Amino acid sequence: MSGDETQGFPGLGERLAAVREGIADACRRASRDPDGVTLIVVTKFHPASLVSALAELGVRDVGENRHQEAQAKAEELAALDLRWHFVGQLQTKKARQAARYASAIHSIDRERLVDALADGERVIDAFVQINLTDEPGRGGVEPPGIEALAERVLEAPSLRLRGVMAVAPLDEAPERAFERLAGYSERVRALEPEASAISAGMTHDYAEAIAAGATHLRIGSAITGKRPDPR
Ligand SMILES: *Cc1c(COP(=O)(O)O)cnc(C)c1O
């Protein structure tokens, strides 16, 4: 655990182990199989060396929210066989490039973005991001638009619709927000039964997300420690 790779990051292995334990506990309380939950470690703003230290500790799924940073890290660490999850706002003009290194894009929030990704060179996983706040423009499609956007993804040859994604609002109990998300997930599953994934749960609300059925957790600071300021 304190091999060369993790030396520069004191406590990283312990924090990862604590989060894995926390996930196992939450699964027990929810009577869920932990194998049904994928941990994505969000490494944004941290150096590629931290990502390789995580890989050394057995992490395979990593999340990033800015294209240029993600692309640079994915290139540098191409030998590591990691799955890169893009979780941030994605500009339409950067979409095709992101699809080259990303295995999954969790932030599909508009039809133009789907169109930009529709004819890529390989098939990648797509999550429809849903806005759980009352404020339009907070990231994510508004709930009435879920079906149209999901249908668009289903028609895109190089996208595989996996399910829904959301960030819990700051001003609401996460339990309530994730309950709504579970309902939106059912609406997507009514269109495509295999699109049953729910990407939800971050450092402060992953236990609530597991209780509400989350299948993909996006956890950053609980594992990586405090984020450096973005460059
Ligand atoms: C940064 C980020 C996370 C991880 O946040 P933490 O609170 O550090 O766990 C998860 N999802 C998205 C979309 C993010 O941008």
Side-chain angles (χ1 to χ4, degrees), residues 1-46:
M1 246 197 215
S2 52
D4 286 344
E5 297 288 341
T6 57
Q7 254 172 29
F9 303 99
L12 185 65
E14 287 77 6
R15 289 192 300 272
L16 177 64
V19 168
R20 283 184 173 145
E21 194 47 50
I23 293 169
D25 281 347
C27 285
R28 262 193 298 278
R29 286 197 299 276
S31 304
R32 292 189 54 197
D33 180 354
D35 286 349
V37 176
T38 300
L39 168 61
I40 299 161
V41 183
V42 178
T43 49
K44 63 189 184 204
F45 311 167
H46 288 284

Side-chain angles (χ1 to χ4, degrees), residues 42 44 65 87-88 165 167 202-204 218-222 227:
V42 178
K44 63 189 184 204
N65 75 338
V87 304
M165 177 277 213
V167 176
M202 303 169 35
T203 286
H204 297 293
R218 308 178 313 268
I219 303 182
S221 46
R227 270 188 285 278

Side-chain angles (χ1 to χ4, degrees), residues 66-78:
R66 295 197 306 192
H67 165 64
Q68 271 178 333
E69 182 183 338
Q71 184 178 47
K73 287 181 198 169
E75 254 169 46
E76 184 174 342
L77 303 175

